[in-house]
Amino acid sequence: MDPTSLQRLVFLTSLLSCSTNQARLTVTPSSSQVFRDERVSLRCEDASDGWTVRRNTSIDNRAECEDWGRSAGSSCNISSSNTLDSGVYWCESTEGSTSNTITITVSGGSVILQSPVLPVMEGDDVTLTCRTKMADPPSADFYKDGVLIRTESDGHMTLLHVSRSDEGLYKCSVQSKGESPESRLSVSEKPRTTSSPMTSTMDPPTASSPLPASSLHLVLRVICHLVVFCPYCISTFLMVSIYRERARGSDLSVSMAMNPSTHAEQGLDDDYDDVMSAVTTEHQF
Ligand SMILES: *[C@@H]1O[C@H](CO)[C@@H](O)[C@H](O)[C@H]1NC(C)=O
Ligand SMILES: *[C@@H]1O[C@H](CO)[C@@H](O)[C@H](O)[C@H]1NC(C)=O
């Protein structure tokens, strides 16, 4: 097969694979915990029509946005959150495909821990922030899996170069105010293909979606596309080769019949060129 046809085939394949995308759920504020009465905005990104936000809570089971929020397209807002909004959220298509999940805890108390909603990448620095309702970040004790690990005077605890061993349930506690609910920090493996080192510090009020999670998402997407489109690619390749073999075979016998003597060699060359251009034209769909 000549190189340009092959290039066209690869290009077409990648075009086709872009249309089957996988949605991703993001949340604003980008924090696993919020205070009661705060606004929560959920959005399905990279989603085509028909993707909606759903949730499981203590009272809801796969409930659609219409039942608990205000929806517009593939996004959903809770204008004033309630402790009963605590639960697991995800995007789901009409065919039943699902996105990543996000766990949100709405606190009725006066202390929350702001931690990343999406898994962080191995090697990144992650900052957890302890917040009280009115005041600036106070002096706070930080706990991991129920064990006190650090006391920070400004309410921020930074974990440097996180690894799988940093995964766990975190909470914080402020003297005379009480303690936050617990939230899980997940650390995902660094994909070997990343060329530039990326760092992401969680700064909850401004960060909307941490970079590491999206690069992992990209890698997964590429793998998914390869798995889905390899059979297509291989069968197209086979069909084109078979067609070419047949066309060449029949043209060859025709030219042999017409030029039985000296011009056979010349005719074969011409016919080969014809076949090649036929194959190329066939491919400009
Ligand atoms: C939601 O709840 C249903 C029924 O309990 C369960 O099958 C499903 O796995 C839950 N989904 C998530 C994302 O937790
Ligand atoms: C949800 O809230 C965001 C701002 O937080 C706003 O831009 C968007 O229009 C809202 N969407 C709906 C459906 O209310």
Side-chain angles (χ1 to χ4, degrees):
M1 181 186 283
D2 84 84
T4 52
S5 318
L6 191 64
Q7 272 166 17
R8 268 181 221 140
L9 189 66
V10 170
F11 178 67
L12 186 79
T13 305
S14 45
L15 266 185
L16 279 169
S17 53
C18 287
S19 61
T20 60
N21 55 15
Q22 172 74 44
R24 193 162 54 96
L25 176 65
T26 60
V27 61
T28 313
S30 182
S31 167
S32 52
Q33 295 182 12
V34 296
F35 285 118
R36 187 173 58 203
D37 300 336
E38 276 186 334
R39 176 192 197 82
V40 177
S41 300
L42 299 139
R43 212 155 70 86
C44 300
E45 295 191 343
D46 303 334
S48 45
D49 286 348
W51 284 80
T52 51
V53 183
R54 287 179 184 259
R55 75 178 191 182
N56 280 357
T57 65
S58 57
I59 52 166
D60 286 325
N61 188 355
R62 293 187 65 238
E64 284 188 90
C65 176
E66 279 70 28
D67 300 338
W68 45 266
R70 173 189 283 270
S71 74
S74 294
S75 68
C76 189
N77 286 355
I78 300 171
S79 53
S80 178
S81 64
N82 182 288
T83 50
L84 288 175
D85 292 316
S86 299
V88 181
Y89 291 76
W90 70 93
C91 299
E92 191 166 322
S93 72
T94 43
E95 292 87 39
S97 307
T98 55
S99 69
N100 60 308
T101 61
I102 284 180
T103 302
I104 296 170
T105 304
V106 180
S107 169
S110 50
V111 180
I112 59 168
L113 178 73
Q114 290 186 314
S115 64
V117 282
L118 298 171
V120 293
M121 199 66 72
E122 249 178 352
D124 286 339
D125 297 345
V126 176
T127 298
L128 308 183
T129 302
C130 196
R131 270 185 61 202
T132 53
K133 225 165 186 173
M134 301 297 176
D136 286 336
S139 174
D141 294 330
F142 289 88
Y143 295 81
K144 180 186 178 230
D145 300 321
V147 179
L148 176 66
I149 53 168
R150 237 191 272 177
T151 300
E152 297 282 358
S153 59
D154 65 352
H156 298 285
M157 176 177 72
T158 300
L159 302 168
L160 296 174
H161 311 299
V162 294
S163 64
R164 296 305 275 265
S165 65
D166 290 309
E167 284 191 329
L169 285 172
Y170 287 82
K171 69 176 178 185
C172 66
S173 145
V174 177
Q175 200 142 45
S176 78
K177 295 276 187 188
E179 62 181 31
S180 72
E182 283 186 313
S183 279
R184 177 166 296 282
L185 180 74
S186 302
V187 179
S188 56
E189 246 169 76
K190 210 182 194 79
R192 275 179 231 126
T193 49
T194 47
S195 49
S196 61
M198 282 188 285
T199 55
S200 159
T201 312
M202 264 325 278
D203 193 3
T206 50
S208 58
S209 70
L211 276 175
S214 53
S215 75
L216 175 71
H217 170 77
L218 191 70
V219 170
L220 288 178
R221 229 170 110 173
V222 168
I223 292 170
C224 166
H225 291 163
L226 287 178
V227 168
V228 172
F229 282 95
C230 266
Y232 165 79
C233 206
I234 291 167
S235 58
T236 307
F237 181 84
L238 284 176
M239 272 163 60
V240 170
S241 337
I242 290 168
Y243 169 76
R244 213 193 97 188
E245 285 303 315
R246 283 203 184 152
R248 193 172 165 184
S250 60
D251 276 343
L252 209 134
S253 52
V254 169
S255 73
M256 292 299 247
M258 280 166 54
N259 299 312
S261 55
T262 53
H263 296 303
E265 195 86 48
Q266 171 79 41
L268 204 146
D269 273 357
D270 288 345
D271 283 322
Y272 180 73
D273 285 346
D274 287 346
V275 171
M276 284 315 285
S277 56
V279 170
T280 312
T281 317
E282 194 71 17
H283 227 76
Q284 289 169 331
F285 41 93

